[in-house]
Amino acid sequence: MAMDVVDYEIFGSEMQYVEVELDPGEAAIGEAGVMMYMQEGITMDTIFGDGSQQGGFFGKLMGAGKRLLTGEGLFTTVFENSGSGKQRVAFAAPYPGKIVPMDLSQLGGTIICQKDSFLCAAKGVALGIAFQKKLGVGLFGGEGFIMQKLDGDGMAFVHAGGTLMERTLAPGETLRVDTGCVVAFQPTVDFDIQFVGKVKSAIFGGEGLFFATLRGPGKVWLQSLPLSRLANRIILSAPAAGGRSADQGSLLGAGVLGGLIGGGSNDE
């Protein structure tokens, strides 16, 4: 399927959004719930899968079914410029981090990425699945056997939590990474899961039992703040989970002040 060639601009520092400019007749696909705004000439349509499948209804159904395996919804949304001039549509990052533009034509045509990292792409980029063939990856990788595969020669945008690290590994060069910190890598990179090696470190070190190994050649993208790590910190800090609700760095925080004004007790 022919790719739409789109221009784009990324705004913001910690909470970014990407503006995609579409010529008349061009379109972009976006993950459900990430659209920020669109100009008047843009029309929106929800479709099965990513719209790249051929073969009628059955082909579209199969394409949509693959998205279920990666934990995504059956549908994506197509934003098409139905006007007469250039129009823009914007997609926002779901949490603090960086939006990574990927020109698939310059990256060999395929990128393997985490299931929840895809944000949007030019229409024609195929969203598939990548099964990890190594048993250890599926059992201990934390992200399962299935990752997402982006195919095509157009622009795609993925999201990385926190600060982005982008690196090109030489043949045989290896990085050991927390499994949640892997955002994406080229298919030429060997991805495996290894045991930490020391039971004491695994139990008391707080780093988990396994880490991912990425072995070159190829390009890898890592994130400093996986969504799972952010969510765990928030849950552990919640009062219902035994966390502290008092303000940090304040002798008389808002919680204490609120308790005094409200007449309630404060156990902090």
Side-chain angles (χ1 to χ4, degrees):
M1 183 175 182
M3 303 284 158
D4 284 348
V5 180
V6 299
D7 296 321
Y8 70 94
E9 194 170 358
I10 294 175
F11 296 89
S13 55
E14 305 305 324
M15 286 296 294
Q16 295 186 322
Y17 68 93
V18 57
E19 256 187 11
V20 177
E21 186 175 79
L22 302 174
D23 290 328
E26 286 185 342
I29 57 172
E31 192 58 82
V34 301
M35 193 275 286
M36 179 179 172
Y37 80 88
M38 57 184 183
Q39 291 184 318
E40 191 173 4
I42 303 289
T43 57
M44 185 173 67
D45 188 22
T46 300
I47 59 171
F48 266 134
D50 55 22
S52 65
Q53 293 81 22
Q54 304 295 324
F57 176 77
F58 184 74
K60 294 177 181 177
L61 188 62
M62 290 295 291
K66 292 178 182 178
R67 289 176 50 77
L68 284 182
L69 294 177
T70 63
E72 306 293 346
L74 279 172
F75 301 93
T76 55
T77 306
V78 176
F79 301 86
E80 182 172 359
N81 182 359
S82 301
S84 56
K86 292 179 180 292
Q87 304 290 345
R88 291 194 164 205
V89 57
F91 304 91
Y95 56 94
K98 301 296 180 187
I99 294 174
V100 189
M102 294 186 170
D103 187 345
L104 297 181
S105 66
Q106 298 182 7
L107 293 170
T110 300
I111 288 294
I112 310 297
C113 59
Q114 290 283 14
K115 292 179 290 187
D116 58 355
S117 62
F118 172 72
L119 196 64
C120 60
K123 187 179 179 183
V125 172
L127 310 180
I129 54 177
F131 287 99
Q132 297 301 325
K133 298 176 182 176
K134 296 180 179 178
L135 184 63
V137 176
L139 294 179
F140 309 119
E143 303 298 336
F145 278 107
I146 303 170
M147 299 184 80
Q148 200 162 44
K149 184 170 67 172
L150 307 182
D151 278 313
D153 57 8
M155 288 298 304
F157 302 87
V158 301
H159 179 255
T163 300
L164 174 72
M165 174 183 165
E166 186 175 327
R167 185 162 175 176
T168 300
L169 300 179
E173 184 181 0
T174 301
L175 282 182
R176 295 177 175 180
V177 185
D178 181 279
T179 56
C181 291
V182 178
V183 177
F185 53 87
Q186 288 183 296
T188 54
V189 174
D190 182 71
F191 178 56
D192 199 1
I193 298 295
Q194 292 185 344
F195 178 56
V196 168
K198 295 182 179 178
V199 175
K200 183 176 69 175
S201 298
I203 295 177
F204 301 109
E207 301 296 342
L209 292 169
F210 304 92
F211 52 71
T213 59
L214 298 167
R215 181 172 292 108
K219 205 163 187 176
V220 300
W221 293 263
L222 307 179
Q223 58 187 352
S224 67
L225 183 62
L227 178 60
S228 57
R229 187 177 296 179
L230 175 63
N232 285 340
R233 289 301 179 98
I234 292 174
I235 292 172
L236 290 174
S237 299
R244 292 171 58 85
S245 61
D247 293 348
Q248 300 296 317
S250 173
L251 182 61
L252 188 61
V256 177
L257 185 60
L260 290 174
I261 294 174
S265 62
N266 193 303
D267 297 331
E268 296 294 333

